[in-house]
Amino acid sequence: PLSPAVRNFTLNFTITNLPFTADLALPNSKKFKSTEKVMYHYIDSLLQKSGIGPYFTGCKVTGFRSGRNRENVGVDAVCSYKTNDSLGAFDREKVYHELSTMTNGVTTLGHYSLEKNSLYVNG
């Protein structure tokens, strides 16, 4: 059998209780690194518990951006999962619904508050 291929999907959401600062946009800054570490913890634990959990291989935060106002921070991440014929197709709607449920209807992620309609999963 063919070995599983690794595929990516993007995950975006907006945090409403983390003020955006210029250093969040700099991948080498302490603020970026510490926030990135916290995001990995939350995102990875959510995805491990989701339907893609057994196939999930991790996420990389690709950036933080200013939301509609300076109090909001947009989070962009690229996540990976293994796939092959026996695993079935990636179902981004299913992943979206599971993440939505696990974040209380896209309202909380750990100690962060999320903008209600900001979750986006693109497979």
Side-chain angles (χ1 to χ4, degrees):
L2 290 170
S3 63
V6 174
R7 302 258 190 263
N8 294 333
F9 63 96
T10 54
L11 186 62
N12 314 93
F13 54 90
T14 301
I15 296 170
T16 58
N17 62 340
L18 177 66
F20 183 81
T21 54
D23 52 349
L24 264 177
L26 304 171
N28 294 323
S29 72
K30 275 189 179 138
K31 177 101 179 204
F32 183 100
K33 297 258 183 240
S34 64
T35 308
E36 176 187 46
K37 202 182 271 181
V38 174
M39 286 302 122
Y40 284 145
H41 170 75
Y42 288 138
I43 295 169
D44 280 2
S45 65
L46 276 181
L47 288 170
Q48 292 291 354
K49 294 174 197 154
S50 77
I52 68 161
Y55 320 115
F56 175 65
T57 57
C59 289
K60 176 166 180 28
V61 172
T62 54
F64 298 108
R65 59 194 148 64
S66 178
R68 274 190 290 244
N69 65 51
R70 300 292 280 178
E71 295 305 302
N72 297 355
V73 171
V75 179
D76 301 318
V78 174
C79 303
S80 305
Y81 63 97
K82 291 183 196 132
T83 182
N84 66 26
D85 291 342
S86 66
L87 298 177
F90 174 73
D91 185 341
R92 74 185 178 93
E93 283 185 25
K94 182 177 182 219
V95 171
Y96 173 88
H97 286 295
E98 289 183 33
L99 292 178
S100 176
T101 301
M102 290 189 270
T103 55
N104 298 315
V106 193
T107 58
T108 56
L109 180 65
H111 61 271
Y112 293 111
S113 298
L114 300 179
E115 189 176 284
K116 185 103 176 88
N117 296 312
S118 69
L119 179 65
Y120 181 70
V121 176
N122 179 13

